Amino acid sequence: MDENGRMSRLSSLLRRRGVVLPSFEIYGGVSGLVDYGPVGARIKRRVVNSWIEHWSKVPNVVEIDSPTITPESVLVASGHVGEFNDKMSECKSCSGAFRSDHLLGNHHENLDSLDSVELDALFVKEGIKCPSCDAQDWEKTSPMNLMFQTSIGAMGSSRTAFMRPETAQGMFMLYPALYRHFRQRLPFGAMQTGKGYRNEISPRQGMIRLREFNMAELEYFIDPEDPPSSDLSSWPGIVRILPDPDGPHSGEKEATFEEVFEAGIVKHPTVAWFLAMTMQFLEDVGIDPSKVRFRQHASSEMAHYASDCWDCEINGEHGWIEVVGIANRTCHDLESHEKFSKSGLMRAWRNYDSPVKESREVLKPIGSVVGPVFRERASEVSLALSELTDLPKKLPFALLLADGTSVEISEDMVTRSYQDSVVSGEYFTPHVIEPAFGIDRIIWHILDHNYLELEKEDEKYTILSLEPSVAPYDLVVLPLFDKDGMDLMARELLVRIGSISGVIAEIDTSRSIGRRYARSDEIGVPWAVTVDHQSLDDSTVTIRRRDDQKQVRIDTDSLIGCLISGSLSSLF
């Protein structure tokens, strides 16, 4: 079939069949927001469930659920208040606002590396016109923070907050509870699915760039001196790799995950494992592996929290689109929250192979002096003195207390001495490896890659060839006619099927049997069960397979048995 207009036909199908639709359409719609209809919501639920099941196979990963509203202090510590920006360009003529990098397109190889002044110069050099009014009169490029601001509480007593731009911070907040849950032993991980919010300047490309979107993220906490690794030979498939263009391995390559790790292209063993696990998930939900590549961020585009970052990109109707980001966040987040919260709870303990004897200089408080001077705060001062690791060479000096205030310690308040001890280990801040999945983008590419336009009896015929694990229904029950007892038998069969755990079925009785087959094929239902006149005589039904439309006859008890055991495909 002619590829021209394929995008339009696919979008029309998704809208017509209740997969994905514009939100608030009767009020004119809102760009960057979409609804999942009755079919799409089931697909989304099954993709999310597949993601959770995929990572649940890792024995030390658990699921958590945290609020979508986040206090400002959390996002100040994480860097989002100061760093989470896109460059915006506003047309002086029509007041249209656009993302600067969208307007400049391919006029520079790495737009993320340019500051506002450099972007303004590029606008002039390339003669960029406003998409709305064709003018070439631009305001100076400015950063725009992408978070939706809100407040917690009523009026004057309210606290500034934001709708979360990622699920990750909620998992970092739960680190102390996770550390306890796993009996103070690394590595371990937490995963979370749910909504994220980004106030995009100029949303476009349908499900690719949304203001409210579905995320699935995993934070894997590791000891940086003992990072977990896996046998990468378990993933023998060839993948496309785009290393850092400024690094020693620049240039697209095709290799196995094991080969790219051994070559030093992927430096961290845990990052390499997450790349492989990501590829496996995408294949499992129906992404064409020949249309997947992994692109390493150049140092100039790296997120503020990452030491290494890879994008998993998928090729489709919108070109190459990032759908997963896999980042080595190091200890940035936990250290930042430790510093800003002063909680002392964001660390882990590492035992030495054998105890170490050490002698260190300490400052001991003189109680008869410290007590009268600091009164009720004397115990805080004594604790702060005992925790000093870098002693001042001269006194007096300013001693920082746990609440962030400081006091002056003079020479008559302390004595210097050496303290011998046997140390069995040390505290450290864990590092974090994070895969972050854009669920909406993945769903779009599942639909795109599995949308097949065929011909059947010289007529156009559409099949959504979804993996059964993400299809909206496992099967559809079709009475040949909605009368003569076939309708009653079909409904009784639907009740029996509905009692099987994990199996979702629907019934369709409207119009001809051929039209009903076509409708189920359009939304990706893998199996159709037809009740006809013969069914009334011998309790057999016809099972039709979606992708090749082959049919077999089977009795209803055997059908139920195959559904329970998940072995329908063995009949063909």
Side-chain angles (χ1 to χ4, degrees), residues 112 244 296-310:
D112 290 331
D244 179 356
Q296 187 178 29
H297 284 204
S299 56
S300 57
E301 66 171 317
M302 201 81 70
H304 65 277
Y305 50 73
S307 70
D308 188 21
C309 192
W310 290 81

Side-chain angles (χ1 to χ4, degrees), residues 151-165:
S151 59
I152 301 172
M155 303 184 69
S157 61
S158 65
R159 298 171 59 190
T160 299
F162 296 90
M163 304 302 292
R164 68 182 180 192

Side-chain angles (χ1 to χ4, degrees), residues 195-228:
K195 296 288 188 181
Y197 306 86
R198 300 185 183 185
N199 193 15
E200 295 284 351
I201 297 167
S202 51
R204 60 179 187 173
Q205 298 176 312
M207 295 170 67
I208 300 303
R209 195 168 298 280
L210 297 172
R211 288 182 165 126
E212 177 180 312
F213 49 90
N214 294 280
M215 304 182 71
E217 294 185 304
L218 192 155
E219 308 303 324
Y220 200 62
F221 301 91
I222 66 172
D223 182 343
E225 293 188 4
D226 185 25

Side-chain angles (χ1 to χ4, degrees), residues 394-406:
K394 295 181 179 180
L395 283 82
F397 75 99
L399 175 67
L400 184 66
L401 302 184
D403 64 358
T405 61
S406 62

Side-chain angles (χ1 to χ4, degrees), residues 508-527:
D508 189 355
T509 62
S510 175
R511 301 182 66 181
S512 70
I513 190 68
R515 184 69 196 101
R516 285 180 275 158
Y517 280 144
R519 279 202 295 258
S520 67
D521 289 345
E522 276 188 336
I523 62 172
V525 183
W527 307 100

Side-chain angles (χ1 to χ4, degrees), residues 51 55 165-169 171 190-193 198 213-220 274-275 278 281-282 294 297 305 309-313 322-329 432-442:
W51 187 88
W55 296 108
E166 60 179 20
T167 66
Q169 298 308 317
M171 289 181 275
M191 59 179 168
Q192 182 170 195
T193 62
R198 300 185 183 185
F213 49 90
N214 294 280
M215 304 182 71
E217 294 185 304
L218 192 155
E219 308 303 324
Y220 200 62
F274 273 111
L275 294 178
T278 294
F281 168 75
L282 294 176
F294 291 87
H297 284 204
Y305 50 73
C309 192
W310 290 81
D311 285 346
C312 176
E313 299 178 333
E322 173 203 351
V323 300
V324 186
I326 300 165
N328 182 352
R329 298 181 74 125
V432 179
I433 311 297
E434 174 199 73
F437 290 68
I439 294 298
D440 308 284
R441 294 183 177 191
I442 291 172

Side-chain angles (χ1 to χ4, degrees), residues 248-501:
H249 302 285
S250 60
E252 184 172 320
K253 295 168 176 56
E254 293 189 356
T256 66
F257 289 111
E258 185 177 30
E259 288 169 343
V260 296
F261 176 64
E262 290 179 348
I265 297 172
V266 181
K267 295 181 176 61
H268 199 287
T270 314
V271 171
W273 177 74
F274 273 111
L275 294 178
M277 286 287 284
T278 294
M279 186 70 179
Q280 181 179 316
F281 168 75
L282 294 176
E283 290 188 49
D284 289 347
V285 294
I287 294 296
D288 183 348
S290 69
K291 297 181 179 180
V292 177
R293 72 183 184 191
F294 291 87
R295 184 183 68 83
Q296 187 178 29
H297 284 204
S299 56
S300 57
E301 66 171 317
M302 201 81 70
H304 65 277
Y305 50 73
S307 70
D308 188 21
C309 192
W310 290 81
D311 285 346
C312 176
E313 299 178 333
I314 300 179
N315 194 20
E317 286 284 356
H318 295 296
W320 287 103
I321 296 293
E322 173 203 351
V323 300
V324 186
I326 300 165
N328 182 352
R329 298 181 74 125
T330 67
C331 56
H332 168 84
D333 296 277
L334 293 183
E335 281 193 344
S336 294
H337 290 304
E338 177 93 353
K339 174 184 175 182
F340 278 80
S341 68
K342 302 180 179 64
S343 66
L345 298 173
M346 300 307 219
R347 297 183 295 170
W349 178 261
R350 176 193 297 131
N351 284 317
Y352 295 144
D353 292 335
S354 57
V356 176
K357 292 182 179 180
E358 69 174 30
S359 179
R360 68 186 186 96
E361 189 179 18
V362 297
L363 291 179
K364 290 186 175 181
I366 299 173
S368 59
V369 178
V370 169
V373 171
F374 297 110
R375 299 180 181 276
E376 69 274 2
R377 305 199 70 187
S379 59
E380 295 178 60
V381 172
S382 297
L383 178 61
L385 285 170
S386 69
E387 292 179 343
L388 280 178
T389 56
D390 187 14
L391 299 189
K393 294 181 179 180
K394 295 181 179 180
L395 283 82
F397 75 99
L399 175 67
L400 184 66
L401 302 184
D403 64 358
T405 61
S406 62
V407 296
E408 184 177 284
I409 303 297
S410 59
E411 195 167 354
D412 64 325
M413 296 179 181
V414 294
T415 59
R416 289 181 183 268
S417 63
Y418 283 89
Q419 186 178 73
D420 294 328
S421 61
V422 177
V423 182
S424 61
E426 63 182 345
Y427 285 103
F428 69 98
T429 305
H431 284 205
V432 179
I433 311 297
E434 174 199 73
F437 290 68
I439 294 298
D440 308 284
R441 294 183 177 191
I442 291 172
I443 290 173
W444 164 256
H445 285 97
I446 290 172
L447 299 171
D448 182 4
H449 289 189
N450 292 281
Y451 174 69
L452 307 179
E453 296 181 320
L454 311 172
E455 286 194 5
K456 182 180 178 182
E457 299 174 356
D458 298 326
E459 292 187 359
K460 297 177 181 178
Y461 197 81
T462 299
I463 291 179
L464 203 55
S465 186
L466 299 176
E467 284 291 323
S469 62
V470 299
Y473 301 97
D474 295 290
L475 75 163
V476 58
V477 178
L478 307 172
L480 184 62
F481 297 105
D482 196 24
K483 59 181 181 179
D484 299 334
M486 286 175 274
D487 53 339
L488 297 177
M489 182 176 178
R491 285 172 172 79
E492 290 171 359
L493 181 59
L494 183 68
V495 171
R496 290 185 67 189
I497 293 171
S499 67
I500 302 171
S501 177

Side-chain angles (χ1 to χ4, degrees), residues 44-175:
K44 180 174 79 71
R45 172 55 52 199
R46 288 193 144 183
V47 170
V48 170
N49 287 347
S50 295
W51 187 88
I52 293 171
E53 289 170 10
H54 179 73
W55 296 108
S56 294
K57 296 172 186 175
V58 182
N60 55 353
V61 171
V62 294
E63 184 180 7
I64 64 99
D65 189 9
S66 56
T68 60
I69 299 174
T70 307
E72 181 182 35
S73 55
V74 174
L75 295 168
V76 169
S78 68
H80 284 85
V81 171
E83 301 281 350
F84 200 64
N85 304 300
D86 274 342
K87 296 293 196 306
M88 180 180 70
S89 296
E90 185 176 357
C91 176
K92 290 182 180 179
S93 179
C94 69
S95 299
F98 308 91
R99 269 184 57 166
S100 306
D101 58 345
H102 288 174
L103 294 172
L104 291 167
N106 298 320
H107 293 295
H108 191 276
E109 61 183 11
N110 188 2
L111 291 166
D112 290 331
S113 66
L114 303 183
D115 60 24
S116 296
V117 174
E118 292 169 321
L119 289 171
D120 290 337
L122 197 56
F123 266 82
V124 175
K125 177 184 175 183
E126 301 296 340
I128 302 300
K129 295 181 180 180
C130 174
S132 298
C133 69
D134 220 31
Q136 290 180 253
D137 192 11
W138 296 100
E139 299 281 1
K140 290 184 177 181
T141 301
S142 59
M144 173 182 162
N145 194 282
L146 301 180
M147 293 190 294
F148 284 99
Q149 185 171 333
T150 183
S151 59
I152 301 172
M155 303 184 69
S157 61
S158 65
R159 298 171 59 190
T160 299
F162 296 90
M163 304 302 292
R164 68 182 180 192
E166 60 179 20
T167 66
Q169 298 308 317
M171 289 181 275
F172 294 132
M173 295 299 96
L174 277 178
Y175 170 78

